[in-house]
Amino acid sequence: MRPPAPQADQNQATGIVGYHAYLPAYRLRRGEIAAAIGASARGVRCVAGYDEDSTTLAVAAALPVVQGREPTVGSVWFATTDPVYADKTNATAVHAALDLQPGILAADLGATVRSGIVALLAAARDGGLAVLADRRGGPVGGTDEREGADAAAAFLFGERDPLARIVGTASVTAEFIDRWRAPGAPDGGTWEERFGEQRYAELAGQLLARLSDGGVELGGVRRFAVAGMNARAVRRVAGTVQEATGAKLEGGDLAGIVGNAGAAQAGLALADLLDAAGAGETLLLISLADGADALVLRTTGAITQGRREPLRAQVDRGVTIGYPQYLLWRERITADRPRRPDPDRPSAPYAWRNRPYKLSMTGGRCRTCGAVQFPRPRVCYQCHTADEFEPVSAAGQTARIVTFTVDRLAFSLSPPLVSAIVAVERGGRLQCELTDVREPLAVGDEVVPTFRRGATVGGIRNYIWKARPVYRAAPAVPASAGAERES
Amino acid sequence: MAQHGLSDRVAIVSMACTRFAEHFDRGADELAVDAVTDALDGTGLTRDDIDAYWLGTYVSGISGMALARPLRLVGKPVTRVENMCATGSEALRAAVYAVACGAVDVAMAVGVEKLKDTGYAGLISPKIQDDGTRVNTSAPANFSLLAPAYQQRYGVTPELFRAAMTHVAWKNHANGALNPRAQFRREVSRESIERSPAVAGQLGVMDCSGVADGAAAAIVTRAEDARRYTSRPLYIKALSLVTGDGSGAADPSYDYTSFPEVVECARAAYAQAGITDPRRQLALAEVHDCFTPTEIVLMEDLGFAGRGRAWRDILDGVFDRDGELPVNPDGGLKSFGHPVGASGLRMIYECWLQLRGEAGARQLATAHRGLALTQNLGGAPGDCVCFVSVVGSRPG
């Protein structure tokens, strides 16, 4: 039975108006993981910092996309296989950190790999924000741990000036056992890879047929990418699509140089496609997870201006950590604890009252004297006027280190605790923790606020804003310099 | 409106101080009973003759019952006070005011702290329930911010500043070595100070005060009644307290090279006591050497040294026991540790001994000047409470 052809949704947004992929700062050599069980492996995987989880990764990807466009965001669709909470929605913390209006829907899509492409399809329908963020691990030393990745990508759909217009979407659904995991369990299982490979090859065939039936000219596709957890299936389907369309495969090497980011993999693949594309190109994204899903886009002239830092530029910028560090950060092993009291559980009512500061780093600018302070106080420290503040957020601004210290006594999830007084670009000073510190710090160093997790006490995860130093890539050697050396 | 000094209206007629130590065999109750009993000893007063008590304790008891219960004080007004590291001094301040205003004839200030029951390293602060946004830095980390800021502002090399920090630790331990009540009674070499394990910023373990248990007490009466109880009372010349508004981190004009609260507090105290040249008028100063950079900055904030000059004066021995103005001749927090509620009264106790000529091997040649200063600092640079007192051996 041939299913009905897909139809254009009346409410469908025009296209993608902004996107960003975020790779955390850390890299781990797979050989080091494999060596733990006497095996060997090649390549590198991307690892989140100790203070990053799926929610903070989501914010890191989405903040640059959303900033300045908050009123246009129609919804938030959050995809991850590693949600921080069950029962409680995780997308609400992302919504709060992005300082979005209360009147929009923010929803999790369930802890499944397929939720990644589903977030894209959902956001495409309602001009929403698709945020795909994941932390992938697995049994110690095993394939999942080696080949997983921690990463995130965010895509904002809308009407005005899209970088890429939506050409069509298609989905096929199938129930079979290829990969599974009990809710909340760290490690899951997979069936023999060849079984899933065969299923996904069939499903991809159906998917292409549906796209074609829906009016998508497959021969016009210029670039495509395939995301999925079954590596054999991804390779096979990539070959099939190449044959069917003659398009160029993008991101075929991502699994090797970044790893597979689970529910975020479709997002990395799409960001990589968009990074590579010129104007007027048709792009095809396929996700293989419990079925097959496709998103077809056509880039516009805005594609080159709308780009942020490309995914590939972040790949080589990582700091290599050792396997014991990874295991500690993932709480697979337990570190020696300092003789200091454990942190307290954050108070829910206090956090609710203080949510502008706690979740979106918002303070106040005194309307009388202009002094900026975080969080917003009742009384201005400078002119003592009460309750005359307008909100001002430090998120998205830069800041400079006024003074700092490395604290080897205080509690930290990854000692030592580094903290600083920072002066925010457009006014105000505050004390915060620093994170992702790779090099010795100096007064005057540039930092940017970043949303991170603190300790989890009584099951409550303490989210806070920290700051991380800005490390600019070394300027490329001008071509002429090389020419001179040769002459 | 203005603050007014007490103009020698109140006198300390007896004091006591326990040894400061890791008293694993004594609780807060026992330390309090020891201090109160020793303070009453020789005065002819009993606990019932004391009209009102103030107990300063930071984490070792709640309410005045923390003192009334162990001492079985019946029918007495007993109040617990807390103001961070100025807690012990607050107890004295309350007792002095009660006597000065005529509400009572005889009052006692008691400071007690039991820190060594927690098993934790460093000082533990009571936590107010919050939402986890406050950066949970340790005290040494907070005070370590002074060092790089000072070096940068005054162009002092890290090596010279390190030498000054080392001198503070070396001096205070050398003083403490002569004090039977100190926690640490050993001189410490400059090498071992500089080689001690890193704690925070430029601070090593030997730049930090220790953690100890202890108690101290003072009995105060109207000045005209003082000689009924002792032939050599100490007169209260000034009591000053400044509580910071916590704006240091937010205020771009604050640069972490000074404690504005201390500057203001000292100014008020000197005005009350009529002090115009503290470096030459004071016989000694007991200041809050919680960390070595703190003492360096305090020398300037208290007017003992010019701005940017304290590190040099310290290296020149100006504040050594035989220097121009001995600072922390009893060994300071470095030698005593810092049982928070007791420290303020422990400082007054050294003034009591020195100005009465009872300091034994530590007796200072400057004691004839007849005036002594104590100072406490609680909190962190940019966000602190400061107390300054001046006591004297002669009525004005």
Side-chain angles (χ1 to χ4, degrees), chain B residues 54-104:
Chain B
W54 275 268
L55 167 68
T57 192
Y58 184 53
V59 291
S60 309
I62 309 280
S63 92
M65 284 188 287
L67 186 68
R69 210 182 285 122
L71 281 160
R72 299 294 182 214
L73 300 172
V74 178
K76 295 289 179 187
V78 187
T79 307
R80 178 217 172 189
V81 295
E82 184 281 317
N83 215 350
M84 276 182 149
C85 302
T87 292
S89 298
E90 280 289 15
L92 178 70
R93 195 162 157 263
V96 168
Y97 287 173
V99 169
C101 75
V104 299

Side-chain angles (χ1 to χ4, degrees), chain A residues 40-57:
Chain A
S40 63
R42 281 188 304 184
V44 167
R45 64 157 294 174
C46 191
V47 176
Y50 71 92
D51 55 357
E52 293 182 292
D53 60 26
S54 55
T55 298
T56 70
L57 292 171

